[in-house]
Amino acid sequence: METNILFNERRSVNFFDKDKNLSDELLKDIVNVAVLAPSGFNLQPWRIIAVQSETSKQMLFPLANKQEKVMDAPVVLIVVGDKEGYNNSNPVWNEMLQSVGGNVQMVEGAKQAAAYLYGSSEERKIKFAESNAGLLSMSLMIAAKEFGVDSHPMSGIDFDGLHKAFGLKESEAVVMLICLGYYDSTKQLYPRRPRRSFGEIATIV
Ligand SMILES: Cc1cc2nc3c(=O)[nH]c(=O)nc-3n(C[C@H](O)[C@H](O)[C@H](O)COP(=O)(O)O)c2cc1C
């Protein structure tokens, strides 16, 4: 789809067709394109929990403020950011080592820089997790639309409750939920609300 059309046609779809499933193959395709999103040092400090089963949905529903779309959409993604995704255990550092011809000093320098830039305060850790996983989230919604799949992002949710219920690690944070599925066109979406444009939000300095 042309970029302009893709962005225009992506909507936060409130109503999903309960009878239309999203295949695991299509979900994989969406995720495998979306992970081309950029991240600091290419650290990809994120993971996705795809909530699909009735049992897991029932657990999710009250933690998503009982928003019906969580039950209607065939899949709801919990986008998780890792506040400590810059640490030594990230396999990306080894990949980086390969890509710089085994230059250990260079990679150690990068590790130190990342630990300082992203890990020197709780505020920075949260920024690191949320900015990177936020980019993944948009990438997921755009990739989904390209594959003909509708989406809905949600942060009107119980972050702590989700963290606990889905067994996240201490260093992890729920960033948002994204419903994926197919718009139930028997129901009306509100017209798209206007956006503030370049002249209103941008300054050239
Ligand atoms: C981070 C984020 C959180 C949101 N949380 C919710 C939510 O909890 N419930 C909801 O109905 N809509 C939620 N929305 C959807 C917005 O209301 C919607 O994106 C906005 O009104 C623009 O509509 P559009 O995406 O169709 O252009 C959220 C959107 C974003 C980006």
Side-chain angles (χ1 to χ4, degrees), residues 63-107:
L63 300 169
N65 272 320
K66 299 191 177 169
Q67 299 190 58
E68 283 297 333
K69 46 194 169 258
V70 162
M71 295 312 286
D72 295 346
V75 179
V76 183
L77 306 181
I78 306 177
V79 181
V80 176
D82 189 347
K83 293 186 285 177
E84 292 175 5
Y86 50 80
N87 68 20
N88 261 330
S89 64
N90 190 326
V92 165
W93 293 123
N94 257 333
E95 290 160 19
M96 186 189 274
L97 188 61
Q98 310 303 316
S99 72
V100 296
N103 187 335
V104 175
Q105 218 178 345
M106 185 185 270
V107 175

Side-chain angles (χ1 to χ4, degrees), residues 7-14 64-65 67 69 137-138 141 151-157 159 175-177 189-195:
F7 274 79
N8 270 295
E9 293 202 348
R10 184 215 57 82
R11 290 295 316 274
S12 293
V13 162
N14 250 316
N65 272 320
Q67 299 190 58
K69 46 194 169 258
S137 300
M138 187 64 206
M141 292 186 279
S151 61
H152 198 303
M154 277 174 286
S155 60
I157 55 180
F159 290 95
V175 173
M176 71 180 73
L177 301 181
L189 283 187
Y190 58 79
R192 187 166 225 164
R193 299 196 191 120
R195 300 298 206 260

Side-chain angles (χ1 to χ4, degrees), residues 2-93:
E2 211 178 292
T3 312
N4 197 30
I5 298 174
L6 191 56
F7 274 79
N8 270 295
E9 293 202 348
R10 184 215 57 82
R11 290 295 316 274
S12 293
V13 162
N14 250 316
F15 311 106
F16 288 88
D17 189 335
K18 290 182 198 172
D19 300 323
K20 270 194 168 174
N21 277 331
L22 183 69
S23 71
D24 289 353
E25 286 69 35
L26 193 45
L27 177 60
K28 273 185 208 161
D29 286 344
I30 292 168
V31 170
N32 286 335
V33 170
V35 291
L36 290 170
S39 60
F41 287 92
N42 192 37
L43 285 166
Q44 304 159 66
W46 53 51
R47 72 183 175 102
I48 292 165
I49 302 170
V51 180
Q52 209 172 16
S53 71
E54 186 61 25
T55 319
S56 302
K57 287 272 206 73
Q58 290 294 352
M59 193 157 81
L60 186 64
F61 184 54
L63 300 169
N65 272 320
K66 299 191 177 169
Q67 299 190 58
E68 283 297 333
K69 46 194 169 258
V70 162
M71 295 312 286
D72 295 346
V75 179
V76 183
L77 306 181
I78 306 177
V79 181
V80 176
D82 189 347
K83 293 186 285 177
E84 292 175 5
Y86 50 80
N87 68 20
N88 261 330
S89 64
N90 190 326
V92 165
W93 293 123

